[in-house]
Amino acid sequence: MQDTFKHKGMRNKLAKTLKAKGITDPIVLNAIKAIPRHLFLDSSFEDHAYQDKAFPIGANQTISQPYTVAFQTQLLGVKPDDKVLEIGTGSGYQTAVLLHLKAKVFTVERQHELFKRTKLFFTKMGYRPKKIVFGDGYKGLKEEAPFDGIIVTAGAPETPKALLSQLKVGGRLVIPVGVEEQEMTLYSRKSEKEFEKKTFGSFRFVPLLEDKN
Ligand code: SAH
């Protein structure tokens, strides 16, 4: 598959749709315009890749809806060179958005099949996260902490304490919290001990699964 002017046109249209739905950050909209989402999906979804919808990516998982990706990225407020941890690599689309904002990205995926496939895809496409880790994102990534930003792209039944503790002071955690439905939640670390919490409406994600062993 290739990236063509036709795809670019569809991306511009998608960015307009997201703007109409309330995404205001121009750097986030530019990332949506730049990243060839159709290449992150199975070729059978090519014609639908620029609809504002989630799609299956195998292993019972989905690529998040573009609006959700844009909304979470906007909340995260990424600046160039920020150290960002992503939990749930999945298709790698959210990773590519973060890389487009010039973040240093560390991404964790617990499904081995997706981890392997997306790692290979990044190499093929020339996307360069700092690290792609096969493991349980519930624990964060202690050896690389602290982070300026942490973004969780699966629904967490509760906020993992490890993630809060791996934020820099001034850092932000964006995480959908809930079981059936998730409330989009933003934590900002104000000091060693204080966190500010704000919520931003409900979303639906595949579950963040904890490895109990
Ligand atoms: N960011 C992805 C979204 C994929 S869906 C994208 O843009 O395509 C959420 C992903 O989180 C799935 O791939 C799922 O396997 C993964 N996941 C679920 N629980 C996890 C955990 N504890 N640690 C790391 N990844 C997890």
Side-chain angles (χ1 to χ4, degrees), residues 61-62 86 88 90-91 94 109-111 114 136-137 153 208-209:
Q61 304 303 326
T62 55
E86 176 192 26
S91 69
Q94 172 75 67
E109 173 57 54
R110 72 179 284 285
Q111 292 263 7
L114 279 175
D136 179 11
T153 68
L208 180 74
L209 299 170

Side-chain angles (χ1 to χ4, degrees), residues 65 99 126 174:
Q65 184 184 342
L99 289 170
V174 176

Side-chain angles (χ1 to χ4, degrees), residues 81-116:
D81 288 329
D82 273 2
K83 209 170 164 182
V84 174
L85 174 65
E86 176 192 26
I87 309 300
T89 315
S91 69
Y93 180 71
Q94 172 75 67
T95 320
V97 169
L98 296 168
L99 289 170
H100 193 262
L101 304 188
K102 302 194 167 54
K104 294 181 188 132
V105 187
F106 299 79
T107 182
V108 183
E109 173 57 54
R110 72 179 284 285
Q111 292 263 7
H112 198 252
E113 180 197 328
L114 279 175
F115 160 77
K116 262 195 326 198

Side-chain angles (χ1 to χ4, degrees), residues 15 18-30 67 70-71 74:
L18 299 186
K19 200 172 173 184
K21 289 186 181 178
I23 304 299
T24 51
D25 190 338
I27 63 167
V28 175
L29 292 169
N30 282 341
Y67 174 74
F71 192 85
Q74 182 165 284

Side-chain angles (χ1 to χ4, degrees), residues 146-159:
F147 298 96
D148 297 287
I150 301 179
I151 178 168
V152 180
T153 68
E158 68 214 321
T159 307

Side-chain angles (χ1 to χ4, degrees), residues 1-210:
M1 261 200 295
Q2 277 188 322
D3 193 24
T4 66
F5 280 113
K6 186 182 111 189
H7 294 113
K8 209 167 165 34
M10 290 195 280
R11 286 204 284 283
N12 286 338
K13 221 169 138 194
L14 173 62
K16 270 195 191 141
T17 306
L18 299 186
K19 200 172 173 184
K21 289 186 181 178
I23 304 299
T24 51
D25 190 338
I27 63 167
V28 175
L29 292 169
N30 282 341
I32 300 289
K33 286 182 203 167
I35 296 162
R37 188 173 188 252
H38 64 287
L39 300 181
F40 292 74
L41 292 165
D42 188 88
S43 56
S44 55
F45 294 113
E46 187 187 357
D47 290 343
H48 308 288
Y50 297 104
Q51 293 173 9
D52 190 18
K53 284 189 184 154
F55 288 104
I57 53 172
N60 271 328
Q61 304 303 326
T62 55
I63 182 173
S64 300
Q65 184 184 342
Y67 174 74
T68 306
V69 172
F71 192 85
Q72 286 196 281
T73 309
Q74 182 165 284
L75 280 183
L76 198 62
V78 182
K79 296 186 297 302
D81 288 329
D82 273 2
K83 209 170 164 182
V84 174
L85 174 65
E86 176 192 26
I87 309 300
T89 315
S91 69
Y93 180 71
Q94 172 75 67
T95 320
V97 169
L98 296 168
L99 289 170
H100 193 262
L101 304 188
K102 302 194 167 54
K104 294 181 188 132
V105 187
F106 299 79
T107 182
V108 183
E109 173 57 54
R110 72 179 284 285
Q111 292 263 7
H112 198 252
E113 180 197 328
L114 279 175
F115 160 77
K116 262 195 326 198
R117 199 207 309 153
T118 302
K119 193 171 172 181
L120 206 67
F121 174 73
F122 284 151
T123 309
K124 199 177 93 189
M125 296 286 290
Y127 290 120
R128 292 201 178 77
K130 292 282 172 210
K131 261 191 195 171
I132 309 156
V133 180
F134 170 58
D136 179 11
Y138 238 90
K139 302 180 179 68
L141 195 61
K142 213 172 172 188
E143 65 270 27
E144 298 292 346
F147 298 96
D148 297 287
I150 301 179
I151 178 168
V152 180
T153 68
E158 68 214 321
T159 307
K161 292 221 166 43
L163 299 185
L164 289 169
S165 73
Q166 291 176 21
L167 281 181
K168 286 184 192 173
V169 170
R172 290 147 82 89
L173 165 65
V174 176
I175 179 167
V177 185
V179 179
E180 291 282 303
E181 271 192 6
Q182 292 82 28
E183 185 123 59
M184 191 59 75
T185 309
L186 168 68
Y187 292 90
S188 310
R189 189 167 203 167
K190 297 295 175 191
S191 68
E192 226 18 73
K193 293 225 168 93
E194 287 163 284
F195 295 86
E196 180 187 86
K197 180 182 169 186
K198 288 188 186 159
T199 56
F200 296 86
S202 49
F203 289 77
R204 256 172 209 273
F205 284 79
V206 294
L208 180 74
L209 299 170
E210 187 173 9

